[in-house]
Amino acid sequence: MLQPRIPVNPLPSGHTIPIHKPTPVADIEPTQTAVPVMVAPPRTTVQLTPGSALALASGGGAVVLVVGAVLVSLLLAVAITGVSVAVIAVVLRLLVKDLQKGR
């Protein structure tokens, strides 16, 4: 059952495919072509003075503080919303329970 079966060609065509022989390496002549080298345009260098370095550091610090404040406020908004939804759910549950007792 699990033995491999080799397919048999019932009608051989008689056509053979010739074997491709690669050309020997000795017959290939080396060629040298000049490849143009791309020269990058010179970049301008940025010189940081102590005053500009201080301004850059303080600007980066301000960005970090603003992004942190925004993220904390978003987290607080989500927390307050969750607490208010939980309180509303408890109040609604008590109201529904009270309405069912009154019948």
Side-chain angles (χ1 to χ4, degrees):
M1 181 174 134
L2 297 176
Q3 294 177 351
R5 297 177 189 244
I6 300 172
V8 179
N9 189 1
L11 300 171
S13 62
H15 297 291
T16 58
I17 299 172
I19 298 174
H20 175 70
K21 295 182 181 177
T23 57
V25 178
D27 293 346
I28 300 173
E29 296 180 14
T31 57
Q32 293 181 352
T33 57
V35 178
V37 177
M38 299 295 290
V39 178
R43 294 186 180 181
T44 59
T45 58
V46 177
Q47 305 236 344
L48 289 177
T49 62
S52 62
L54 184 63
L56 185 64
S58 63
V63 168
V64 167
L65 288 176
V66 168
V67 170
V70 168
L71 291 177
V72 167
S73 64
L74 286 173
L75 180 65
L76 283 174
V78 169
I80 291 170
T81 304
V83 169
S84 64
V85 167
V87 169
I88 290 172
V90 168
V91 169
L92 285 176
R93 181 177 169 197
L94 289 174
L95 285 174
V96 168
K97 193 178 208 183
D98 199 27
L99 284 173
Q100 287 178 353
K101 282 185 180 179
R103 287 188 182 184

